[in-house]
């Protein structure tokens, strides 16, 4: 498929465990975003990449959250020492560039911390 | 982040038009209005965006008030597949490309 792909779709982690969430953006898309969506809420911005450069990480809730995009394509969001409040859907989006271009979202990874 | 206000929920009947309102009273001259929608268990999906003039595409129309402090997303004939949460987002230079979602409007379409 030509869309944004995220894996895994579902992840159950024990409290304190580290997790890694993967995002495959649309080929050629320069911009990549991560969002966190709690149940019943709208998505909230976490971080933004332009190619391999992380230009904005102001939305990352703590230093347990880390994102990378080393070759400017696939991105990984890592959460260390997961806590119950990290339970949410993590959405990845990509777009051709900055500004007013359409963002394409993946289906998200639902993380449940028990 | 720029804030928009929308009704929490709206209801429509199938094959009837739907007008989804949005207030963005703090909008500045270079801010665009974007609309996304999110179907159940899916990621958000782009619908339409505009700056000043009314815009049309295959999915919907966007009517922007003359003072730009409000806009309306118009679905010309609602279908059951249009049942979703609709988000109105104010996007400007200071926000870069990051989307600030509010709680959106939950649209229910009755058969």
């Amino acid at each position: 498929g030509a869309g944004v792909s995220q894996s895994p779709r579902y992840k159950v982690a024990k409290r304190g465990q580290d997790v890694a969430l993967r995002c495959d953006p649309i080929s050629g898309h320069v911009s990549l975003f991560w969002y966190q969506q709690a149940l019943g809420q709208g998505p909230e911005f976490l971080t933004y990449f332009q190619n391999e450069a992380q230009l904005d990480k102001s939305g990352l809730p703590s230093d347990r959250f880390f994102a990378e995009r080393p070759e400017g394509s696939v991105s990984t969001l890592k959460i260390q020492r997961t806590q119950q409040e990290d339970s949410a859907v993590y959405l990845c989006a990509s777009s051709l560039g900055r500004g007013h271009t359409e963002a394409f979202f993946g289906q998200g990874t639902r993380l449940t911390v028990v | 982040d720029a804030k928009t206000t929308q009704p929490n929920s709206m209801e429509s009947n199938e094959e009837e038009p739907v007008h989804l309102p949005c207030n963005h009273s703090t909008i500045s001259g270079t801010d665009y209005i974007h609309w996304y929608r999110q179907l159940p268990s899916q990621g958000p999906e782009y619908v339409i965006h505009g700056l000043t003039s009314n815009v049309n595409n295959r999915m919907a129309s966007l009517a922007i008030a003359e003072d730009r402090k409000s806009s309306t997303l118009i679905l010309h004939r609602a279908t059951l597949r249009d049942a979703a949460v609709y988000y109105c987002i104010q996007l400007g230079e200071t926000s870069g490309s990051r989307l600030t979602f509010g709680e959106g409007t939950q649209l229910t379409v009755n058969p």
Side-chain angles (χ1 to χ4, degrees):
Chain A
V4 177
S5 177
Q6 292 188 247
S7 61
R9 285 293 317 277
Y10 304 93
K11 175 71 179 176
V12 178
K14 290 185 178 178
R15 194 157 48 113
Q17 187 179 352
D18 296 350
V19 298
L21 312 179
R22 178 187 170 103
C23 172
D24 281 87
I26 294 172
S27 178
H29 277 195
V30 168
S31 297
L32 186 144
F33 305 83
W34 284 98
Y35 292 84
Q36 179 190 58
Q37 186 170 25
L39 193 63
Q41 304 292 315
E44 292 197 357
F45 170 81
L46 293 176
T47 188
Y48 161 60
F49 290 85
Q50 188 171 317
N51 296 307
E52 68 278 2
Q54 189 175 19
L55 298 186
D56 187 349
K57 53 182 180 179
S58 62
L60 296 176
S62 77
D63 58 7
R64 296 185 297 103
F65 287 70
F66 171 76
E68 60 182 5
R69 192 186 185 198
E71 297 176 359
S73 56
V74 171
S75 177
T76 304
L77 177 67
K78 297 179 179 177
I79 309 173
Q80 297 177 321
R81 305 181 303 280
T82 53
Q83 300 178 4
Q84 279 194 314
E85 61 261 32
D86 299 335
S87 296
V89 175
Y90 291 85
L91 293 160
C92 176
S94 71
S95 67
L96 275 172
R98 276 180 65 82
H100 304 285
T101 56
E102 177 181 351
F104 294 83
F105 282 80
Q107 288 189 296
T109 295
R110 180 177 294 279
L111 173 66
T112 303
V113 181
V114 297
Chain B
D1 287 336
K3 183 96 168 101
T4 61
T5 55
Q6 301 176 251
N8 286 336
S9 62
M10 290 187 67
E11 210 166 315
S12 173
N13 295 321
E14 205 175 3
E15 298 192 3
E16 290 184 357
V18 181
H19 290 230
L20 297 164
C22 178
N23 287 322
H24 28 82
S25 57
T26 62
I27 197 166
S28 70
T30 55
D31 290 350
Y32 281 71
I33 295 301
H34 287 239
W35 283 81
Y36 282 75
R37 72 180 186 181
Q38 189 171 22
L39 279 65
S41 301
Q42 301 290 320
E45 171 189 33
Y46 169 83
V47 178
I48 201 167
H49 78 276
L51 180 63
T52 55
S53 307
N54 294 346
V55 185
N56 300 293
N57 65 21
R58 64 174 178 80
M59 287 182 72
S61 296
L62 177 60
I64 301 174
E66 200 169 326
D67 64 5
R68 303 211 320 123
K69 293 187 186 302
S70 65
S71 61
T72 302
L73 179 71
I74 302 165
L75 308 179
H76 294 286
R77 286 184 68 206
T79 69
L80 297 178
R81 277 204 71 252
D82 291 323
V85 179
Y86 286 79
Y87 297 99
C88 168
I89 299 166
Q90 185 178 321
L91 192 60
E93 292 297 320
T94 57
S95 52
S97 301
R98 61 188 278 180
L99 300 170
T100 300
F101 294 83
E103 294 189 357
T105 296
Q106 173 70 63
L107 175 65
T108 301
V109 180
N110 300 313

